[in-house]
Amino acid sequence: MPKIETQQRRTLRYFVLIIGALALIVGSILSPPNQTQILPLVSLTAIIFVLELLPLKLFNNNFSLIHIILFSAGLLYGSGFAVWGCLFGIAAAVGIHSLLNKRYFPVSQNNISYLSGGIFDFGINSFTLVLTLSLFGIARGVSSTILDSSQSRLLVLGAGIFFGIFHGGLYVISSRRLDNSQLSWINWDSLALVSIEVLPVFFGFLSLLVYHLIGVGTLLIFGVVAFSLGLLIFYLSA
């Protein structure tokens, strides 16, 4: 999020912190994580940690690709698993950034800004995911058998589209309210955002198809792909 802390930014930070906490509570109640998910949870945490440390730049604000892997994780393991992995990964990224910043840039004031960005990413992503999975009745996750019928495919398709639109909409609204300049609102940023928000649908379907073949490796592979896409988009935008 933006570097300069203002009252408007503080208000937004508190708001997303509240909705993030609610999402964590509701998601855990609807689908509590269990001991069999420890290895996938560690994998998801590591992926989100890397993606959160290396965000894109859209509309003068940081944009993390964690929503792509988060949607697939929610489909495979449930809402509680996904939001806890999101929390651990973002917290680790904020902690590492703060330690490095303190060591190498002791006079920098960017820690508050980075913390605000982490709170924003957790609140927006976790709230959007829990809301989507709950509305579509798949808060406990699904298995590969859900693709056996056209109705089930439409369910996953609808959830992915809703997730992308809602997630992208929240990001755009927040960025417009927080960015005073209009120079960054160009066609490239809009096109990149639309392209990125379509990816959860593709990754969601693919994860259900290959999970029974490679198990937890699904998240790791998708994490690498998401990171590669981020580098590609960053290169093209530059």
Side-chain angles (χ1 to χ4, degrees):
M1 293 303 291
K3 295 181 179 180
I4 302 176
E5 186 80 346
T6 65
Q7 182 60 41
Q8 188 176 27
R9 294 185 178 102
R10 284 194 294 268
T11 300
L12 176 62
R13 183 177 63 186
Y14 296 146
F15 173 74
V16 295
L17 180 61
I18 292 173
I19 64 174
L22 290 175
L24 184 66
I25 295 172
V26 174
S28 299
I29 292 175
L30 294 176
S31 178
N34 56 68
Q35 294 181 346
T36 64
Q37 296 176 341
I38 293 179
L39 180 58
L41 184 61
V42 172
S43 301
L44 178 62
T45 298
I47 294 169
I48 295 214
F49 167 75
V50 173
L51 294 177
E52 184 67 15
L53 277 180
L54 302 170
L56 302 177
K57 201 75 173 179
L58 289 178
F59 306 120
N60 278 351
N61 291 304
N62 289 337
F63 184 92
S64 175
L65 294 176
I66 63 176
H67 70 294
I68 299 175
I69 193 67
L70 199 65
F71 181 71
S72 294
L75 288 179
L76 294 176
Y77 297 101
S79 59
F81 166 89
V83 292
W84 278 105
C86 182
L87 176 63
F88 292 150
I90 291 178
V94 171
I96 292 297
H97 178 274
S98 299
L99 290 175
L100 294 177
N101 200 40
K102 182 178 180 180
R103 179 174 181 179
Y104 296 105
F105 306 98
V107 297
S108 175
Q109 299 297 319
N110 286 335
N111 282 344
I112 293 179
S113 177
Y114 199 84
L115 175 61
S116 298
I119 292 174
F120 177 85
D121 286 341
F122 174 72
I124 295 299
N125 283 279
S126 60
F127 177 76
T128 305
L129 179 72
V130 172
L131 177 63
T132 300
L133 298 183
S134 300
L135 288 178
F136 285 83
I138 48 177
R140 291 185 173 274
V142 294
S143 65
S144 58
T145 57
I146 197 171
L147 297 178
D148 289 344
S149 67
S150 58
Q151 183 178 1
S152 298
R153 298 189 193 100
L154 289 176
L155 180 66
V156 177
L157 177 63
I161 293 176
F162 178 86
F163 178 80
I165 292 176
F166 195 70
H167 179 271
L170 288 177
Y171 177 80
V172 169
I173 292 172
S174 300
S175 296
R176 281 191 176 275
R177 290 182 61 86
L178 295 177
D179 186 12
N180 293 324
S181 85
Q182 298 298 320
L183 296 178
S184 65
W185 296 91
I186 57 177
N187 291 333
W188 164 255
D189 283 358
S190 301
L191 179 61
L193 181 63
V194 171
S195 302
I196 291 170
E197 295 297 354
V198 172
L199 293 177
V201 179
F202 172 75
F203 275 68
F205 273 108
L206 192 59
S207 64
L208 296 177
L209 289 173
V210 304
Y211 178 73
H212 67 287
L213 297 175
I214 57 179
V216 68
T218 304
L219 294 179
L220 295 176
I221 292 175
F222 287 178
V224 173
V225 174
F227 175 71
S228 302
L229 287 173
L231 291 179
L232 176 61
I233 295 172
F234 176 81
Y235 173 77
L236 294 175
S237 64

